[in-house]
Amino acid sequence: MSYDANNAYPAGPGATGPGAMGPGAGGFGGQPRGAASPEDLSLPLYGASFGQAVKRFFKKYTHFSGRASRSEFWWMALFAFLVQLIPMKGVSI
C-alpha cells in the first residue's frame, strides 16, 4: 500500500482544490509537502491511519520541531483519551 500525499492536492493551471494555484487563489500559493511513506518522519503524513499515527507519535515525541498532519494529531488525541479511560474503569469497579 503506497500513499503519496503530494498528489492529494492538485496544483497548476486548471486545478481545483486547496492546493490549486491561479488567479485569485488564496493562501500561501503552494501545495503542502507530505511524507511519501509512513517511514519518512521529516514531513507530516496526510491521511495517516490510527496505527501509523500512533507509531509516528512514539518515534517523534521528543523532537520539538516540525509538524504533524491533522489526521496524525486527532488519531493521537483519540489514543490518549482511550488510554485515560483504562484507569477510570479500574476506579469505578
Side-chain angles (χ1 to χ4, degrees):
M1 176 170 141
S2 90
Y3 175 76
D4 186 8
N6 296 320
N7 290 331
Y9 295 95
T16 59
M21 309 225 345
F28 295 103
Q31 68 183 30
R33 290 182 47 220
S37 74
E39 289 77 31
D40 180 12
L41 299 176
S42 63
L43 295 171
L45 180 64
Y46 296 103
S49 68
F50 181 78
Q52 290 171 335
V54 172
K55 270 190 213 174
R56 288 173 61 90
F57 171 78
F58 283 111
K59 287 181 181 178
K60 289 178 56 171
Y61 77 97
T62 58
H63 298 257
F64 297 103
S65 65
R67 296 174 176 250
S69 68
R70 188 173 293 151
S71 59
E72 288 178 288
F73 174 82
W74 285 113
W75 280 126
M76 195 53 221
L78 175 65
F79 176 77
F81 175 74
L82 294 174
V83 167
Q84 289 176 4
L85 286 178
I86 295 170
M88 287 185 207
K89 183 70 174 167
V91 170
S92 66
I93 294 179

